Amino acid sequence: MTSPALSTLQIRIDHHSAVHLAAEAARTLARECGLPGSLPDRAAVVASELASNLDKHARDGAIYLQPLLSGQGLEILAVDRGPGIPDLDRALTDGYTTTATLGAGLGAIRRIATDFTIRSLTGTGTVACARLTSPGDRPKTPQDIGSACLAVDTEEHCGDARAIADTDTARTAIVVDGLGHGPRAAEAAQTALRAFRRAPDQPLPTLITALHRALRRTRGAAVGIMRLHQDHAQYCGIGNVRALVLSHDTVHHRLTGQPGVVGWDIPPPRQHVIPLSPGATAVLHSDGIDERWAHAPSPFLHQLPPALLAAAVVHNHRRSRDDATLLAARAQRHPHA
């Protein structure tokens, strides 16, 4: 199934009033995502607890809210730049607190959320991901996909977009960067996603050609597509969407699309085959992410699952003067694997 590709809402926690703002935004988005019953209120509690922790303890913290890329539901991310949590296991215990509060905090989030993952390193910071879905709609591999898609600070519309499509044999990821930014760039990006969703299992060069036809009446876009199999990936791209593979200790297979603008002028698309080691994470990102993040990532970054990796990289390496999108994914886990 291919999911909607809505942009990410960022709420900087730079004042205590932002805690309430994060809670209300999470409640509203949960309703827009179709979460039933008390789930929107639970989403507000999760966002409030995460934002409150950032307000009390962290530096340069932010909450990110977005619909799930895979399945129906809401994702709440929290990222900061320190000081980190020295004893994470203890902090996840109900009732634990370092301030004069009730201390429900992280333990409550773990109970409320459908899925909750958190990593922290003293001196570096903390990144957390809480996902809420309808009963019976729990993702099979909840942390194997991560993304963020942020508009330039001066724009309401995001000219970037991303999506995931899973079939029985592979997982296909796409990142689109509409030329420029604003409403016309957003129109180009969403046009590309609609064309992608019509037949996401086509050979990648064929898929790029189909997107090229669909975008002819738009301002055009850069496009990167990666198809993940168990032991290898296929990549095809036009324009400045970067692709790479992050393993447990290194970054390799850095690629950028061929010169051109999809919808205007492209060369015959070429496909690259990339070996994938077990547990490797494939990454696609637009040029709104500073590519220097991948020159020498910290060991902490290497160990993050895709859901947390995407949030950490976007939070720390986003160029605020451009739309910025990053999509990180691992190959699907099949029952026989």
Side-chain angles (χ1 to χ4, degrees), residues 141-157:
T141 53
Q143 295 299 319
D144 282 355
I145 298 171
S147 76
C149 180
L150 291 161
V152 62
D153 284 348
T154 56
E155 290 286 350
E156 178 182 353
H157 300 277

Side-chain angles (χ1 to χ4, degrees), residues 10-136:
Q10 180 193 51
I11 302 170
R12 292 184 176 91
I13 309 302
D14 51 9
H15 187 270
H16 182 67
S17 60
V19 175
H20 177 72
L21 177 61
E24 288 305 309
R27 180 183 284 111
T28 299
L29 185 55
R31 289 171 177 157
E32 292 174 358
C33 290
L35 293 181
S38 64
L39 284 174
D41 291 332
R42 294 184 183 186
V45 171
V46 169
S48 177
E49 292 289 354
L50 288 172
S52 181
N53 281 337
L54 294 176
D55 177 54
K56 293 172 186 174
H57 306 295
R59 298 189 302 269
D60 190 26
I63 295 292
Y64 297 89
L65 305 171
Q66 59 190 2
L68 283 177
L69 266 189
S70 181
Q72 185 178 22
L74 171 68
E75 184 171 70
I76 304 170
L77 301 153
V79 194
D80 64 59
R81 289 188 173 130
I85 303 173
D87 189 342
L88 191 53
D89 289 338
R90 188 181 180 196
L92 285 165
T93 303
D94 277 355
Y96 173 76
T97 179
T98 59
T99 59
T101 63
L102 294 177
L106 298 180
I109 294 169
R110 186 163 62 174
R111 285 186 289 102
I112 293 171
T114 307
D115 178 77
F116 181 54
T117 303
I118 183 170
R119 300 286 188 274
S120 187
L121 182 65
T122 302
T124 296
T126 303
V127 56
C129 174
R131 289 170 170 171
L132 290 94
T133 62
S134 299

Side-chain angles (χ1 to χ4, degrees), residues 25-295:
R27 180 183 284 111
T28 299
L29 185 55
R31 289 171 177 157
E32 292 174 358
C33 290
L35 293 181
S38 64
L39 284 174
D41 291 332
R42 294 184 183 186
V45 171
V46 169
S48 177
E49 292 289 354
L50 288 172
S52 181
N53 281 337
L54 294 176
D55 177 54
K56 293 172 186 174
H57 306 295
R59 298 189 302 269
D60 190 26
I63 295 292
Y64 297 89
L65 305 171
Q66 59 190 2
L68 283 177
L69 266 189
S70 181
Q72 185 178 22
L74 171 68
E75 184 171 70
I76 304 170
L77 301 153
V79 194
D80 64 59
R81 289 188 173 130
I85 303 173
D87 189 342
L88 191 53
D89 289 338
R90 188 181 180 196
L92 285 165
T93 303
D94 277 355
Y96 173 76
T97 179
T98 59
T99 59
T101 63
L102 294 177
L106 298 180
I109 294 169
R110 186 163 62 174
R111 285 186 289 102
I112 293 171
T114 307
D115 178 77
F116 181 54
T117 303
I118 183 170
R119 300 286 188 274
S120 187
L121 182 65
T122 302
T124 296
T126 303
V127 56
C129 174
R131 289 170 170 171
L132 290 94
T133 62
S134 299
D137 195 31
R138 183 183 178 91
K140 294 180 180 178
T141 53
Q143 295 299 319
D144 282 355
I145 298 171
S147 76
C149 180
L150 291 161
V152 62
D153 284 348
T154 56
E155 290 286 350
E156 178 182 353
H157 300 277
C158 185
D160 284 3
R162 80 286 192 216
I164 283 279
D166 287 342
T167 63
D168 291 339
T169 58
R171 165 170 286 159
T172 305
I174 181 172
V175 165
V176 182
D177 182 353
L179 200 62
H181 49 78
R184 293 183 62 196
E187 177 191 9
Q190 294 304 316
T191 299
L193 286 198
R194 287 192 293 271
F196 170 75
R197 292 190 184 110
R198 285 196 283 269
D201 56 347
Q202 293 182 89
L204 298 191
T206 304
L207 194 48
I208 289 284
T209 302
L211 267 62
H212 179 59
R213 290 195 298 267
L215 289 175
R216 281 178 177 164
R217 294 182 180 273
T218 73
R219 63 166 50 182
V223 176
I225 308 176
M226 191 175 287
R227 179 162 293 150
L228 306 179
H229 302 271
Q230 289 296 309
D231 59 354
H232 72 280
Q234 299 157 312
Y235 167 76
C236 194
I238 302 291
N240 198 18
V241 173
R242 297 177 181 273
L244 56 91
V245 174
L246 192 74
S247 63
H248 72 281
D249 60 355
T250 190
V251 177
H252 48 97
H253 302 294
R254 295 181 178 88
L255 297 167
T256 303
Q258 298 167 249
V261 177
V262 179
W264 286 85
D265 184 28
I266 64 171
R270 294 196 307 266
Q271 178 174 285
H272 301 267
V273 178
I274 304 168
L276 288 182
S277 58
T281 299
V283 177
L284 291 170
H285 69 81
S286 68
D287 61 357
I289 306 294
D290 189 336
E291 68 274 10
R292 290 174 293 182
W293 78 268
H295 288 181

